[in-house]
Amino acid sequence: MQSPMIRSDDLAVFVRATDAGSFSAAARELGITPSLASNAVQRLEQALGQRLLIRSTRSLRLSERGERYLPYARAMLQSLEDGHVSLAAAHDDALAGTLRLSAPSDLGRNVLVPWLDDFQAEYPRLDLTLNLSDRMADLFRQPLDLALRYGHPPDSSLVAQPLAPDNRRMLCASPAYLERHGRPASLDDLARHNCLRFMLSDGVHERWRFDTPAGLRTVVVAGNRVSDDADVVRRWALAGHGIVYKSSLDLHDDVASGRLVSLLPAGWGEPAPLNLICAHRSLLVPAVIRLRDFLRERCARMAEERKRFEAAEPVR
């Protein structure tokens, strides 16, 4: 079966019109007329032989086929953009300049720093400025190019490049703590344990969510220690002061070495996707693309290693 001829600019109009909710809004953003925007989507629909958008005088919404096709349209546009950047990067094998990067405290200190050492060894003319903070960086006001953050950005205008889309939180405690207090027999049993908490979005992260086979569970936990630095919370767990619930990227080395014990089976932890975020697609320069691909590979390698030590005795 011969594939239809698809124009990339038609794909761009379809995605933009879907996001904006109207042809006129999409046309303004793209600098074209509403009629040209409408014609582009019609041309795409004819090429596919499918109705993608349902129009009315006041609204524009995706059809069932459109909902199915939209993620592929986004992926195609992203692949095209990555290809253009890759070609540009091929003419500059010795990347130079400065990248200003923000990252969460624990991930930055214990995971990212050694990774960036390896990255700079590969590209020695590239300078890095690293800002570590558990508060969300303002990429429009702060002198930053990029930010590594868990979860999707609250501002839809930001550009998120996935690094570890399947990453989840891990529930862990040290062997010494488990020897003194026992292993939680169930999620409800967390109420009798000292749970180590950190600040998240200016509030205490004390509503721990779990994706169990029986459905989503939320457990409100308590404990005698809270910090606005997530690395401090991890250190408390290593010292045997309680149970911690953090990103598996943050706790990977501790669990692999036996310093912490995983208390959840694979797939039960709350999703914590890691993204590389920038303010605009124009900032996806060759150095950023190289860094993104480097970090993706390291995250994937860590996820593969983590399969070896998922908890064999799940809490219920």
Side-chain angles (χ1 to χ4, degrees), residues 134-136 150 154 198-205:
D134 287 324
R135 292 186 176 274
M136 181 66 71
Y150 290 114
F198 55 88
M199 306 297 292
L200 185 66
S201 299
D202 295 323
V204 178
H205 182 229

Side-chain angles (χ1 to χ4, degrees), residues 25-309:
R28 284 194 301 271
E29 294 179 12
L30 294 169
I32 60 177
T33 65
S35 61
L36 285 177
S38 178
N39 291 339
V41 174
Q42 289 180 9
R43 193 161 48 238
L44 178 61
E45 290 176 327
Q46 290 171 0
L48 295 171
Q50 304 285 346
R51 175 63 64 88
L52 301 177
L53 293 174
I54 299 174
R55 299 111 163 133
S56 70
T57 56
R58 295 185 177 181
S59 66
L60 187 71
R61 63 183 178 87
L62 286 167
S63 67
E64 180 182 351
R65 297 298 176 89
E67 290 181 352
R68 185 179 302 177
Y69 187 69
L70 179 61
Y72 296 98
R74 293 189 194 277
M76 284 187 281
L77 290 173
Q78 184 63 59
S79 294
L80 285 171
E81 185 169 345
D82 290 350
H84 295 155
V85 172
S86 178
L87 286 176
H91 296 288
D92 185 15
D93 291 331
L95 272 69
T98 301
L99 284 181
R100 299 167 299 178
L101 177 66
S102 172
S105 62
D106 199 348
L107 180 75
R109 292 189 184 99
N110 303 301
V111 179
L112 191 61
V113 165
W115 286 1
L116 292 179
D117 287 343
D118 293 341
F119 184 73
Q120 279 193 289
E122 188 173 351
Y123 303 105
R125 293 180 58 197
L126 188 63
D127 297 334
L128 293 173
T129 299
L130 183 59
N131 176 25
L132 298 183
S133 173
D134 287 324
R135 292 186 176 274
M136 181 66 71
D138 189 334
L139 293 174
F140 296 106
R141 296 184 178 182
Q142 294 178 252
L144 293 168
D145 301 310
L146 307 163
L148 267 68
R149 282 291 177 261
Y150 290 114
H152 298 290
D155 188 341
S156 60
S157 66
L158 295 171
V159 178
Q161 300 282 293
L163 299 179
D166 298 324
N167 184 59
R168 292 177 178 269
R169 297 188 190 278
M170 295 182 77
L171 188 74
C172 296
S174 70
Y177 177 86
L178 295 176
E179 183 177 353
R180 292 195 307 272
H181 302 281
R183 186 188 186 109
S186 68
L187 294 179
D188 292 332
D189 199 25
L190 290 174
R192 73 173 184 84
H193 284 271
N194 195 45
C195 295
L196 307 170
R197 297 161 295 157
F198 55 88
M199 306 297 292
L200 185 66
S201 299
D202 295 323
V204 178
H205 182 229
E206 57 190 11
R207 297 178 62 84
W208 291 1
R209 296 178 175 85
F210 303 92
D211 193 6
T212 75
L216 185 66
R217 288 281 311 277
T218 299
V219 179
V220 180
V221 299
N224 62 6
R225 298 183 184 222
V226 178
S227 176
D228 64 350
D229 188 321
D231 187 34
V232 170
V233 176
R234 169 184 157 274
R235 292 170 186 265
W236 284 339
L238 290 171
H241 295 301
I243 294 178
V244 67
Y245 192 42
K246 294 184 85 279
S247 162
S248 60
L249 291 169
D250 299 345
L251 304 180
H252 175 276
D253 288 348
D254 296 321
V255 177
S257 66
R259 293 189 296 267
L260 292 177
V261 178
S262 174
L263 304 176
L264 285 179
W268 279 41
E270 181 181 16
L274 181 67
N275 292 294
L276 184 68
I277 300 171
C278 60
H280 194 272
R281 289 196 176 276
S282 63
L283 296 174
L284 296 175
V285 296
V288 173
I289 295 298
R290 296 282 181 92
L291 177 62
R292 181 202 65 188
D293 293 345
F294 175 87
L295 295 177
R296 277 180 178 172
E297 190 276 331
R298 290 299 177 97
C299 288
R301 187 189 305 176
M302 185 177 282
E304 190 63 29
E305 293 174 357
R306 194 160 50 248
K307 294 178 182 179
R308 302 197 312 265
F309 51 74

Side-chain angles (χ1 to χ4, degrees), residues 7-29:
R7 292 173 48 166
S8 61
D9 51 346
D10 292 348
L11 282 173
V13 173
F14 166 61
V15 171
R16 196 65 63 90
T18 300
D19 292 341
S22 72
F23 287 126
S24 58
R28 284 194 301 271
E29 294 179 12

